């Protein structure tokens, strides 16, 4: 079944006849926008985009917190913070009347906070010290995505910030981020967990007797598979978490509804490359299928040229001509002058005859001859000068040809990016797009984030 078109927001302006332009400033200025979720495949600039949006919103007067799941800590470095943790840290040197805070998800700490908030002290200590829980909270598949949604729910419930910008986990698939809460909830509500909970529900020795008699075959198999100590850790963990399982499911459902709410806006981030835009198209379709509010596409790191009127074909043809010496300017016929006989002859081989001395006339001693007038050695000097000019012209031609070939490569890159972009917009004409021109270097400070924000706003 083909999914319905993504539900776009109203804040868009016309980019051209075929593509609607995404108005980022209108989006972040709208007080009804409370959550912006940046999603996309890995390596397309989600973290930088999220930080740039957060900074721009703060400098336009909003109180913003940026939640990142990127372990590379680039966000902290670009914002001038030594390190980020599970607590929002205020960013200094933000212009304007707003505030910017940033934090990096600590998956295990967030899980610990859930346990501490929903269990009494004794039970919380038992859970936190359980070896199976420690493994689950540190690296169970889907835990990071689930905890990101838990933290988002916590931030939103505090109502302390005007805008929350979320940098989603670097997932291989679009399904990971949206499905993780349900997957973890399904695991905690699954048959295996309920089976392991059965002895605890019966209680005490009776429960252990039930386990030993009624499920000896199953537990024996699990014991061989998991090991006896691990199985006991799992059973202890399940018994301690029994009262909390329903809360995981409830909060997962609440966060999912929060993502569907009108105050949330999804931005799909992609680079103008085939694989990245294919993944972006998949995100768009999945968001539409789940009725998530899509604001638009951020096409990141788009290349440009200041000489776009010179096509790749013409640049290559000019380079070939230069390399073949077919259009080198001779400069008033220097090449012809240099090769003429009268300039190639040396004084010793000049065609002008030497007059023989008359009878009785002494041959003058060359040592008595007056100094040669300036320029008397002109033929040899002229020859040297012409060779230098020709060498310089040849070097200039080689450099120019190299630059023309680089320009041709750039124009071909631009052409590929444009074709890839056109393919996406033809498939999803309802999606608003904003293009972010590529910067010459990496973003490592607030000035770089402002530059990205300026490009985001068009």
């Amino acid at each position: 079944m083909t999914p319905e078109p993504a539900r776009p927001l109203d804040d868009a302006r016309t980019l051209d006849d075929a593509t609607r332009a995404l108005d980022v400033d209108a989006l972040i200025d709208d007080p009804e926008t409370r959550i912006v979720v940046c999603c996309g495949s890995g390596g397309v600039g989600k973290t930088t985009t999220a930080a740039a949006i957060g900074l721009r919103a703060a400098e336009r007067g909003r109180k913003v917190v940026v939640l990142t799941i990127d372990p590379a800590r680039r966000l902290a470095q670009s914002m001038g913070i030594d390190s980020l943790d599970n607590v929002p840290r205020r960013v200094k040197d933000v212009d304007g009347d707003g505030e910017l805070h940033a934090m990096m998800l600590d998956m295990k700490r967030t899980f610990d906070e859930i346990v501490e908030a929903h269990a009494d002290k004794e039970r919380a200590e038992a859970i936190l010290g359980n070896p199976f829980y420690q493994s689950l909270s540190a690296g169970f598949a889907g835990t990071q995505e689930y905890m990101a949604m838990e933290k988002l729910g916590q931030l939103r419930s505090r109502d302390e910030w005007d805008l929350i910008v979320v940098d989603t986990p670097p997932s291989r698939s679009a399904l990971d981020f949206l499905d993780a809460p349900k997957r973890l909830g399904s695991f905690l509500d699954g048959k295996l967990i309920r089976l392991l909970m059965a002895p605890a529900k019966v209680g005490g020795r009776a429960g252990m007797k039930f386990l030993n008699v009624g499920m000896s075959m199953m537990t024996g198999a699990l014991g061989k598979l998991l090991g006896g100590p691990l199985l006991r850790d799992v059973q202890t963990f399940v018994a301690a978490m029994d009262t909390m399982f329903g809360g995981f499911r409830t909060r997962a459902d609440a966060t999912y509804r929060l993502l569907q709410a009108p105050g949330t806006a999804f931005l799909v981030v992609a680079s103008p490359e085939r694989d990245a835009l294919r993944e972006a198209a998949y995100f768009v379709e999945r968001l539409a299928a789940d009725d998530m509010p899509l604001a638009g596409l951020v096409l990141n790191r788009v290349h440009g040229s200041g000489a776009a009127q010179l096509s790749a074909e013409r640049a290559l043809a000019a380079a070939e001509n230069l390399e073949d010496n077919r259009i080198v300017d001779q400069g008033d016929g220097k090449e012809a002058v240099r090769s003429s006989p009268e300039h190639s002859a040396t004084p010793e081989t000049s065609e002008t005859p030497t007059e023989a001395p008359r009878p009785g006339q002494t041959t003058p001693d060359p040592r008595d001859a007056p100094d040669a007038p300036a320029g008397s050695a002109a033929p040899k000097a002229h020859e040297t000068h012409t060779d230098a000019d020709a060498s310089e012209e040849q070097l200039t031609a080689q450099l120019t040809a190299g630059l023309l070939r680089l320009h041709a490569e750039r124009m071909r890159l631009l052409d590929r990016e444009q074709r890839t972009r056109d393919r996406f917009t033809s498939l999803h004409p309802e999606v608003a797009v904003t293009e972010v021109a590529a910067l010459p270097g990496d973003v490592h400070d607030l000035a770089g984030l402002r530059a990205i924000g300026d490009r985001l706003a068009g």
Side-chain angles (χ1 to χ4, degrees), residues 51 64-68 75-76 78-79 81 83-91 99-105 155 161 165:
V64 186
V65 60
V66 178
L67 169 63
T68 183
L75 181 60
S78 63
M79 292 185 172
I81 300 176
S83 63
L84 293 178
D85 53 22
N86 220 37
V87 178
R89 307 290 180 184
R90 185 167 182 176
V91 179
E99 293 182 12
L100 177 61
H101 301 251
M103 61 182 299
M104 186 174 72
L105 177 72
L155 293 172
W161 289 276
V165 182

Side-chain angles (χ1 to χ4, degrees), residues 345-362:
T346 62
E348 291 80 3
T349 60
S350 174
E351 294 180 2
T352 303
T354 302
E355 184 178 344
R358 296 192 183 104
Q361 182 179 359
T362 59

Side-chain angles (χ1 to χ4, degrees), residues 330-345 378-387 389-390:
Q330 297 297 333
D332 297 330
K334 289 180 180 178
E335 188 67 27
V337 169
R338 186 174 61 182
S339 60
S340 63
E342 63 184 45
H343 286 87
S344 62
K380 185 172 290 187
H382 178 71
E383 180 182 356
T384 304
H385 180 67
T386 304
D387 288 343
D389 286 348

Side-chain angles (χ1 to χ4, degrees), residues 33-48:
T33 303
R34 302 298 302 275
I35 299 173
V36 173
V37 182
C38 297
C39 57
S41 57
V44 296
K46 293 193 305 295
T47 299
T48 301

Side-chain angles (χ1 to χ4, degrees), residues 39-46 169-172 268-271 275-277 279-280 283:
C39 57
S41 57
V44 296
K46 293 193 305 295
S171 303
R172 280 188 171 185
V268 178
V269 184
S271 57
D275 291 343
L277 277 173
E279 191 76 5
F283 268 83

